Amino acid sequence: MSRALFVYAYVPNMPRNPEDGGFLINLFEDDRLTFTHYAADQTVLQEYRFAVPPRLRMGYLACVDTARPWLSQMYQVMRAGEAARYSCRIGIDGYPLFLVEDFEALMNCPFRSARAHYARKMYLLLEDIATELFQAGFNMTPQSFMWDDGRVRPIDAAPAGGLFQKNA
């Protein structure tokens, strides 16, 4: 089984409907990407698998290389408080799984706040990774994920079932 190089999970804290349980993205070292959509009770609604060009993996690795000086200092858990609208889990191969709540709230903490500083750094890293994904036909934001059907198609869609896993 191929190792996941990048994992991103978005979970809304107050789902708007039963099908609004968030999503999970995995980028694997064998140039596969999976997208899993969850129901509010964290059951899998649908999973899609994609073959991606090797340049996506290489671009992702270049993004991580530029972040290495600060990634090992990043807080593993960054909470925004009770008003957090969502939480996300970010997995970067070679580092512990990061939990970040509500990027916007964290980035607006007082200037020179360590939480705000690292939230902004992680947000910019995600934006760089999203740029690499976009060049391959995927559109990722901290709260959404889509793909351009004209440029990329799933190689298959797995049936629903299963529970949320940090690293499928």
Side-chain angles (χ1 to χ4, degrees):
M1 180 180 217
S2 182
R3 187 175 82 236
L5 299 175
F6 175 66
V7 177
Y8 183 82
Y10 163 80
V11 180
N13 289 348
M14 297 182 56
R16 296 177 303 245
N17 63 61
E19 292 187 358
D20 186 24
F23 63 88
L24 172 68
I25 303 164
N26 287 287
L27 175 63
F28 294 95
E29 68 183 346
D30 66 355
D31 299 321
R32 280 184 308 116
L33 182 138
T34 60
F35 168 75
T36 309
H37 177 215
Y38 291 91
D41 66 0
Q42 293 302 295
T43 58
V44 174
L45 292 174
Q46 192 70 42
E47 180 174 275
Y48 299 91
R49 295 180 186 104
F50 301 87
V52 296
R55 71 179 180 273
L56 173 57
R57 175 179 34 86
M58 300 308 291
Y60 162 77
L61 291 171
C63 292
V64 172
D65 279 345
T66 63
R68 288 198 192 284
W70 60 265
L71 271 172
S72 60
Q73 299 169 0
M74 169 87 179
Y75 295 113
Q76 197 170 345
V77 175
M78 293 183 41
R79 300 206 181 275
E82 292 179 27
R85 296 171 297 144
Y86 65 92
S87 60
C88 57
R89 290 169 185 85
I90 304 163
I92 297 171
D93 186 43
Y95 297 91
L97 189 66
F98 299 105
L99 170 67
V100 179
E101 290 183 340
D102 202 332
F103 271 111
E104 292 82 1
L106 285 169
M107 290 188 304
N108 286 318
C109 287
F111 192 69
R112 290 189 317 270
S113 158
R115 289 187 321 150
H117 181 73
Y118 284 110
R120 287 188 288 269
K121 283 183 173 288
M122 183 61 82
Y123 192 85
L124 290 173
L125 175 59
L126 282 177
E127 190 170 22
D128 290 343
I129 293 167
T131 298
E132 297 298 327
L133 287 163
F134 186 77
Q135 292 173 1
F138 301 97
N139 188 5
M140 177 187 140
T141 73
Q143 300 175 44
S144 68
F145 184 81
M146 298 174 281
W147 58 91
D148 180 349
D149 281 327
R151 295 182 56 208
V152 65
R153 296 250 185 202
I155 53 176
D156 65 352
L163 298 175
F164 176 82
Q165 297 175 10
K166 73 173 187 176
N167 198 355

